[in-house]
Amino acid sequence: MSASQTSDVPTLLVKIFGKDRPGITAGLFDTLAAFSVDVVDIEQVVTRGRMVLCVLVTEPPRGLEGDLRATVHNWADSMKMQAEVISGLGDNRPRGLGRSLVTVLGHPLTAEATAAIAGRITGTGGNIDRIFRLAKYPVTAVEFAVSGVETEPLRTALVTDAAALGVDVAVVAAGLHRRAQRLVVMDVDSTLIQDEVIELFAAHAGCEAEVAEVTAAAMRGELDFEQSLHARVALLKGLDASVVDKVRAEVRLTPGARTLIRTLKRLGYQVGVVSGGFTQVTDDLKERLGLDFAQANTLEIVDGRLTGRVTGEIVDRAGKARLLRRFAAEAGVPLAQTVAIGDGANDLDMLNAAGLGVAFNAKPVVREAAHTAVNVPFLDTVLYLLGVTREEVEAADAHEES
């Protein structure tokens, strides 16, 4: 039956709750089958071994409702479960226009924060239709399906106060695009890896302090990215090219980076990196991690030594956004289906251009401007923002190992 056909049809909501064990669902439907009812809706939830099973069915033939009620209660008693049968009309009320998925990450997720999130959803005119846990570690991640309010005002209401509540919140429009192929593009330094590559090179050149001074000047706005890049690279002049291999060996992936990339690739996503760092490192990462795209600046090497210059097109703030668009075009993925992840101000254009921009352990100005922020040190938590559960990740890993 369609929703319009069931709107005025008498229905019964059969609710069973108690200790979960095999056979409960089959047993209930065997019981209901004797009364020639049609199933309109089903929902089952199990939390810490306790089951709640709700079944909406059409009213049985005239005169049999009392028998159905008695039979369901007797069956439930025999299974040491509790039962409730409620009469009514029709199906669930239609969901309101405007449908979004709200992902909340907490480490831990407190009752206070959850109450505040739920209150803000209600305050925007939204209704929570369903809540589902995506992960219990390394963070607790839950997803709220919300209707009745458009995505943008809902995002504004929730993301603004997320940091104060001690949680990370992502709000995306619900729909088929959630399951579509995507392109994920990441910054490298302090995002995909824990290090700043220029600082690793500077340590070998003995000019860490000078590089740090130039970086600070850039952060104060005294130099733009391109100026600061040239100034810092100039300090590396004369460094033996063999240091490249040493820096590659020193690079530390961010916790969860391999899991994130491995899982995205299994889902059929394409994954790339853009970096204000250097191809001497990003090309190696591309090969090691199986990335589809990689672009960065290139240190010039002549006669086995660094010249203190970079060659080719500079990858700066605007360049990262431009590369995101180029990668999307090459991948055949609409820009709305792209995800960008970064931590610095030079990632902002890329984060804003993407369909979903994720500020990862970012500076306050970046957190405030991005679509969402992740403030835990595990890069694979981005998977939860895409609706991937921890159980799905672990099951895929176990299948590959077997």
Side-chain angles (χ1 to χ4, degrees):
M1 288 186 191
S2 67
S4 60
Q5 289 174 312
T6 61
S7 59
D8 296 321
V9 173
T11 52
L12 297 176
L13 175 61
V14 180
K15 179 180 177 182
I16 305 296
F17 47 101
K19 185 177 179 181
D20 181 39
R21 58 187 177 280
I24 298 297
T25 304
L28 174 61
F29 281 99
D30 282 341
T31 302
L32 294 172
F35 295 90
S36 301
V37 296
D38 295 330
V39 177
V40 179
D41 196 5
I42 310 170
E43 187 149 351
Q44 179 173 309
V45 176
V46 178
T47 304
R48 210 182 67 180
R50 309 297 291 184
M51 166 195 277
V52 179
L53 170 60
C54 293
V55 181
L56 189 66
V57 297
T58 54
E59 187 180 61
R62 188 176 299 276
L64 293 181
E65 181 179 332
D67 290 344
L68 182 149
R69 288 174 176 271
T71 302
V72 167
H73 280 284
N74 289 337
W75 171 81
D77 286 342
S78 73
M79 301 298 291
K80 295 183 172 54
M81 305 286 283
Q82 293 178 275
E84 186 177 5
V85 182
I86 304 170
S87 300
L89 290 176
D91 196 351
N92 303 313
R93 63 183 177 83
R95 294 177 63 188
L97 296 176
R99 299 181 183 181
S100 303
L101 297 171
V102 178
T103 306
V104 181
L105 309 179
H107 188 57
L109 179 60
T110 66
E112 179 183 10
T114 307
I117 294 294
R120 281 161 175 70
I121 291 172
T122 301
T124 65
N127 183 71
I128 299 172
D129 300 315
R130 184 171 297 176
I131 305 174
F132 177 71
R133 187 180 73 182
L134 296 167
K136 61 183 179 181
Y137 71 91
V139 299
T140 300
V142 294
E143 181 179 272
F144 295 74
V146 177
S147 62
V149 60
E150 295 298 328
T151 299
E152 284 305 320
L154 180 62
R155 177 185 289 145
T156 299
L158 294 177
V159 174
T160 302
D161 297 330
L165 295 171
V167 296
D168 299 325
V169 179
V171 183
V172 298
L176 290 175
H177 71 275
R178 189 79 179 278
R179 301 178 181 87
Q181 185 193 52
R182 289 189 177 187
L183 167 69
V184 178
V185 176
M186 289 174 276
D187 173 44
V188 175
D189 292 12
S190 298
T191 300
L192 178 63
I193 66 173
Q194 301 177 57
D195 311 282
E196 293 288 330
V197 170
I198 186 69
E199 294 178 3
L200 297 179
F201 276 102
H204 289 280
C207 58
E208 292 172 277
E210 293 91 333
V211 165
E213 185 178 339
V214 175
T215 300
M219 293 181 67
R220 291 193 299 268
E222 297 169 9
L223 296 172
D224 64 20
F225 177 81
E226 185 169 351
Q227 289 175 315
S228 69
L229 175 68
H230 288 305
R232 286 177 291 180
V233 170
L235 295 169
L236 306 180
K237 183 178 180 180
L239 196 60
D240 193 281
S242 63
V243 78
V244 169
D245 289 333
K246 296 176 183 177
V247 168
R248 287 174 175 173
E250 291 167 352
V251 164
R252 300 167 299 163
L253 292 175
T254 297
R258 287 187 183 278
T259 300
L260 172 66
I261 294 169
R262 181 173 65 244
T263 305
L264 291 173
K265 298 293 288 181
R266 286 172 177 164
L267 290 169
Y269 290 11
Q270 297 190 59
V271 186
V273 293
V274 291
S275 176
F278 310 111
T279 57
Q280 280 82 359
V281 171
T282 58
D283 287 350
D284 181 61
L285 290 171
K286 180 182 180 183
E287 183 177 347
R288 285 167 51 196
L289 300 174
L291 301 174
D292 299 286
F293 305 98
Q295 190 70 43
N297 301 299
T298 299
L299 293 168
E300 184 181 61
I301 299 175
V302 176
D303 296 330
R305 294 192 177 276
L306 275 64
T307 66
R309 296 187 296 270
V310 291
T311 62
E313 181 183 1
I314 298 298
V315 178
D316 55 8
R317 175 170 169 166
K320 287 188 174 185
R322 185 169 58 252
L323 287 164
L324 171 70
R325 294 186 175 92
R326 192 184 87 191
F327 292 168
E330 292 176 7
V333 174
L335 202 59
Q337 292 299 117
T338 61
V339 179
I341 311 168
D343 74 300
N346 66 332
D347 297 314
L348 274 174
D349 290 0
M350 176 178 73
L351 297 180
N352 290 327
L356 177 64
V358 181
F360 181 73
N361 292 309
K363 286 71 176 174
V365 65
V366 182
R367 290 200 305 267
E368 292 167 8
H371 297 136
T372 189
V374 171
N375 294 301
V376 293
F378 312 109
L379 194 56
D380 54 339
T381 54
V382 173
L383 292 168
Y384 310 143
L385 306 184
L386 305 178
V388 181
T389 70
R390 191 75 199 177
E391 288 180 346
E392 290 171 326
V393 174
E394 293 175 350
D397 286 343
H399 177 73
E400 185 172 277
E401 289 172 2
S402 64

